[in-house]
Amino acid sequence: MKNNTQDNQEITDSSADLTLDANSPDATMQNLEQSESRFNPVIFGNSSFRSGNSSDVPAWSKDSMNMDWLFTIAKQMRQAEKIDTLLAATVTEVQQYLHADRVLLYQLQSQNQGVVLAESMVNGYTPSLKESLPIIAFGANKPEDYQKEPFIAIDDTANTGLTFYQCQLLNQFQVQASLSLPIFIRDQLFGLLVVQQCSHPRQWQENEITLLYQIVTELRLSLQSLIFRNEQQALARVSEKARQTIDEENIFQTTTREVQKLLNVERVAIYKFNSDYCGHFVFESKVPNLHSIVGKSWDDTYLKQHQGGLFRENKPYVVDDVARITGGSDCYLEAFENFQIEACAIAPIFVGQELWGLLCAYQHSDTRHWLEDEIKLHRWLK
């Protein structure tokens, strides 16, 4: 245990409301445990930059690490009641056990950009908690690299094939060695567990990488369970509000707030149609730095002409990157530009058989890859 450890465990407010899956937690954990393949990392001699390899290698030796510690942290992770508690405990335990200068958990928020959700580090270095960073800051050339490699290891940032920009990003936080492992949930890259050395280079050992893989596996299972619980609680809150009152204002305020938290999105708004399928925004929940759009209109000639278009067929409209839309109506593209929308997921709201309006999730600062489970939950909550 290090006496000078600074456990910086603050978590972004939205991190406790991540949304990824809506299966039973018990069934999910069983399926993941049954499908989990044994990880066997490959070490490439003394090279300063290494990545995983799927070829056969010697199995994990139980004598190479403290099994008691692994079981202890796994139990602690399973007992966590909140996601922020889970993440904070994970980075703290790993940082202390591996005697690393910094351990962090990074969540991917768009195709190339993410945020540091939790961090534990020793004193004297620049914190990265809550920093928005590109995923290439941790050694990979692109996010897809983590689909191919079980880890990215940098033994010495001064002696690697990193780009100048990657070196700048690492130098900003005094990183001299870095080891990052991907966290996948339902085949989607959620984020990274990253271990860094700032005081000197470090050659990452096979048993360290294997141990961290076991931690990532347990973290994935625990996250899945907590995410499911958060989703069910949000659905229950919205349903309870609907049962308790016929006041649409209270119902819609609750819905926008819960959807924004669960999707970790910058704005969720409700758009109400007029009889001619023009309309305006009537409710919203948003991050503080955005201007309100309540009361503003979004007149779409296509929706008017087709009386709701695909929304009338109860289909969602999902865009990962507005700049890459092809074949969209000019008024839609103009509205995206006017409202500075980079990505959206829009679901229809019906009252009986009538198309009443739309539940709109907007990302303004960056593009976003919407997960299938996020789209399903978005449709359920509307």
Side-chain angles (χ1 to χ4, degrees):
M1 300 288 287
K2 294 185 175 181
N3 293 330
N4 63 338
T5 299
Q6 174 189 345
D7 295 332
N8 192 345
Q9 299 173 355
E10 296 177 13
I11 307 298
T12 52
D13 292 340
S14 58
S15 67
D17 297 294
L18 306 171
T19 301
L20 294 167
D21 186 35
N23 294 322
S24 162
D26 293 335
T28 298
M29 294 181 72
Q30 289 176 3
N31 291 336
L32 286 172
E33 288 169 340
Q34 290 170 1
S35 63
E36 190 64 51
S37 61
R38 178 63 64 192
F39 172 72
N40 294 316
V42 170
I43 299 300
F44 295 95
N46 295 319
S47 62
S48 59
F49 183 92
R50 296 173 277 123
S51 61
N53 190 304
S54 59
S55 61
D56 293 334
V57 295
W60 174 32
S61 170
K62 294 183 179 180
D63 294 333
S64 65
M65 61 190 65
N66 189 330
M67 289 296 297
D68 289 339
W69 177 80
L70 182 60
F71 291 141
T72 298
I73 187 175
K75 181 178 180 180
Q76 184 177 356
M77 294 165 72
R78 292 171 187 173
Q79 291 176 341
E81 294 291 329
K82 297 182 179 180
I83 290 178
D84 58 353
T85 304
L86 169 66
L87 301 185
T90 302
V91 295
T92 300
E93 290 293 336
V94 172
Q95 187 254 326
Q96 293 177 350
Y97 185 78
L98 293 184
H99 302 289
D101 291 332
R102 186 200 320 267
V103 173
L104 61 89
L105 275 159
Y106 170 88
Q107 183 198 357
L108 197 62
Q109 292 188 317
S110 67
Q111 293 177 332
N112 300 295
Q113 196 82 8
V115 65
V116 177
L117 294 182
E119 180 180 59
S120 181
M121 57 177 286
V122 300
N123 292 319
Y125 302 106
T126 303
S128 63
L129 184 66
K130 298 185 181 180
E131 289 286 341
S132 178
L133 299 169
I135 194 170
I136 61 171
F138 305 103
N141 293 321
K142 53 186 180 300
E144 291 77 14
D145 290 345
Y146 287 106
Q147 298 280 354
K148 305 173 184 177
E149 314 290 359
F151 66 91
I152 300 292
I154 303 171
D155 294 337
D156 185 353
T157 58
N159 184 27
T160 67
L162 297 174
T163 66
F164 177 74
Y165 179 50
Q166 286 175 308
C167 289
Q168 280 187 317
L169 291 168
L170 291 168
N171 290 338
Q172 179 182 349
F173 301 100
Q174 301 86 41
V175 177
Q176 296 196 45
S178 178
L179 174 62
S180 56
L181 289 83
I183 304 167
F184 287 96
I185 297 185
R186 292 183 64 86
D187 298 324
Q188 295 284 350
L189 180 59
F190 164 78
L192 307 172
L193 174 64
V194 183
V195 183
Q196 296 177 333
Q197 204 70 29
C198 301
S199 55
H200 53 76
R202 176 168 177 167
Q203 185 171 358
W204 305 102
Q205 302 302 310
E206 178 179 354
N207 65 325
E208 294 174 332
I209 298 171
T210 308
L211 175 62
L212 288 171
Y213 181 78
Q214 302 300 321
I215 295 299
V216 166
T217 300
E218 185 60 45
L219 177 62
R220 182 171 63 153
L221 298 174
S222 297
L223 269 173
Q224 191 83 351
S225 178
L226 291 175
I227 287 165
F228 171 80
R229 184 187 305 174
N230 286 346
E231 291 175 350
Q232 297 306 304
Q233 289 175 349
L235 289 168
R237 286 192 293 267
V238 174
S239 298
E240 183 64 22
K241 179 67 70 172
R243 286 193 296 267
Q244 289 178 350
T245 179
I246 59 173
D247 181 0
E248 71 175 25
E249 179 175 351
N250 287 333
I251 295 173
F252 289 146
Q253 284 180 346
T254 301
T255 300
T256 54
R257 181 175 63 251
E258 295 299 336
V259 174
Q260 190 210 358
K261 288 181 180 179
L262 281 168
L263 297 185
N264 191 22
V265 69
E266 291 173 324
R267 188 197 310 266
V268 170
I270 291 179
Y271 181 85
K272 183 177 181 179
F273 284 119
N274 299 327
S275 58
D276 61 355
Y277 290 95
C278 291
H280 62 284
F281 292 99
V282 291
F283 297 98
E284 71 177 352
S285 178
K286 61 181 183 64
V287 295
N289 63 313
L290 294 177
H291 295 295
S292 175
I293 60 174
V294 172
K296 294 187 177 182
S297 299
W298 183 325
D299 295 335
D300 190 322
T301 54
Y302 173 83
L303 292 179
K304 289 196 292 185
Q305 181 179 352
H306 295 85
Q307 297 184 331
L310 60 85
F311 297 121
R312 194 174 186 84
E313 301 173 17
N314 199 19
K315 295 180 180 179
Y317 180 70
V318 181
V319 179
D320 289 350
D321 186 352
V322 167
R324 296 188 179 185
I325 293 178
T326 58
S329 64
D330 291 339
C331 54
Y332 236 73
L333 297 176
E334 182 181 353
F336 283 137
E337 182 177 355
N338 291 340
F339 290 115
Q340 299 179 318
I341 296 170
E342 298 292 335
C344 69
I346 304 174
I349 300 173
F350 283 85
V351 176
Q353 300 299 314
E354 180 183 355
L355 178 60
W356 183 92
L358 305 172
L359 180 61
C360 311
Y362 296 136
Q363 197 72 16
H364 297 270
S365 61
D366 199 356
T367 60
R368 173 165 177 159
H369 175 59
W370 301 95
L371 303 178
E372 180 180 351
D373 291 326
E374 292 177 329
I375 297 170
K376 288 180 180 178
L377 182 71
H378 183 53
R379 296 184 69 185
W380 291 337
L381 281 169
K382 55 83 180 175

